[in-house]
Amino acid sequence: MSLTNSDMLDGGNRLPLVEDFYTIQGEGFHAGKPAYFIRLGGCDVGCRWCDAKYTWNPKVFPPVDVDEVVKRAKACAAQAIVITGGEPLLYPLEILTSRLRDMGLEIFLETSGTHPFSGEFDWVCLSPKRQQPPLAEAFGRAHELKVIIQTEDDFLWAEENARRVGRYCRLYLQPEWSVFDEIMPKIVEYAKANPRWSISIQTHKFMRIP
Ligand code: SF4
């Protein structure tokens, strides 16, 4: 279900765009890789520590033609696209992803998995949230499970989710930024004791890039 008027989206030919820009992916499996970010507005998950609260209300971001965004992505040197939000799966993504694919670009998705999948992706990063857990289908689609750790209780939540993903899904624990100093030593110890987990850091914050 869309948070914005579905007629305005014309089946996915238009999407509520917050911003699009070329940068370096800071976190998760593709950390360090140059990528063009397409950030869509709208999210109904409501994480307290969300660092993209400005994206939550899609009405603030009038729908933009997908072809315009794809043209901008193609005009730079990017080989990979990160579709993020907000929660991008609120919207039909078939048209966006097929246009990007036609351009020969790799397509990565960042999602909470709380809405049905649409579109085709080369890589899906699933970041589950307790207050609105992912739909069952999201676990089978995930190439990467990235769990945000704010307190030690979140390790249990991480394990619950890890039991549901596929065998080859990469597992990441990522410190919640506002408690980085307190939680980081605990994450280090947890990963050392449970080495199927790796640690993801928001390196873009250290690089001072978006
Ligand atoms: S799911 Fe993502 S965009 Fe939505 S509130 Fe949580 S952190 Fe923010």
Side-chain angles (χ1 to χ4, degrees):
M1 190 188 69
S2 164
L3 293 181
T4 199
N5 184 336
S6 60
D7 292 344
M8 290 165 67
L9 302 179
D10 186 19
N13 278 301
R14 288 190 292 277
L15 292 169
L17 181 72
V18 177
E19 54 189 349
D20 54 320
F21 51 93
Y22 190 28
T23 187
I24 306 292
Q25 168 62 292
E27 53 192 63
F29 179 77
H30 291 290
K33 187 167 193 165
Y36 196 85
F37 274 60
I38 298 175
R39 187 186 303 286
L40 302 180
C43 185
D44 54 3
V45 178
C47 304
R48 275 194 320 278
W49 39 259
C50 177
D51 57 6
K53 287 185 175 157
Y54 61 96
T55 68
W56 287 5
N57 180 2
K59 298 196 175 84
V60 180
F61 307 103
V64 168
D65 277 345
V66 156
D67 287 337
E68 284 302 309
V69 184
V70 172
K71 216 185 286 172
R72 290 201 287 268
K74 186 60 188 168
C76 70
Q79 295 297 300
I81 305 293
V82 175
I83 300 177
T84 186
E87 174 44 67
L89 289 180
L90 283 165
Y91 306 107
L93 298 178
E94 292 91 350
I95 292 172
L96 174 62
T97 58
S98 78
R99 296 273 202 284
L100 292 167
R101 192 169 290 274
D102 289 348
M103 300 283 185
L105 298 164
E106 272 191 298
I107 308 167
F108 307 155
L109 175 71
E110 298 274 335
T111 181
S112 62
T114 51
H115 293 270
F117 272 72
S118 60
E120 273 190 71
F121 306 97
D122 298 291
W123 191 267
V124 173
C125 173
L126 174 64
S127 186
K129 307 296 177 341
R130 273 175 200 270
Q131 70 275 19
Q132 197 172 324
L135 302 180
E137 72 165 319
F139 294 99
R141 300 289 294 261
H143 299 91
E144 167 184 357
L145 177 71
K146 185 174 69 190
V147 184
I148 311 304
I149 305 295
Q150 186 180 37
T151 69
E152 283 179 88
D153 287 349
D154 292 328
F155 292 127
L156 263 181
W157 167 244
E159 295 294 353
E160 279 171 36
N161 284 280
R163 279 194 284 278
R164 301 184 66 187
V165 294
R167 185 169 165 204
Y168 298 107
C169 182
R170 309 286 184 120
L171 305 180
Y172 289 96
L173 302 169
Q174 180 169 295
E176 198 277 295
W177 183 252
S178 69
V179 294
F180 184 94
D181 289 345
E182 300 93 278
I183 201 71
M184 199 63 229
K186 297 186 171 90
I187 296 177
V188 168
E189 288 313 311
Y190 192 88
K192 283 162 67 182
N194 301 275
R196 66 191 188 122
W197 290 96
S198 296
I199 296 177
S200 166
I201 300 285
Q202 292 179 294
T203 61
H204 51 290
K205 301 207 182 203
F206 294 99
M207 289 188 269
R208 302 205 173 88
I209 57 174

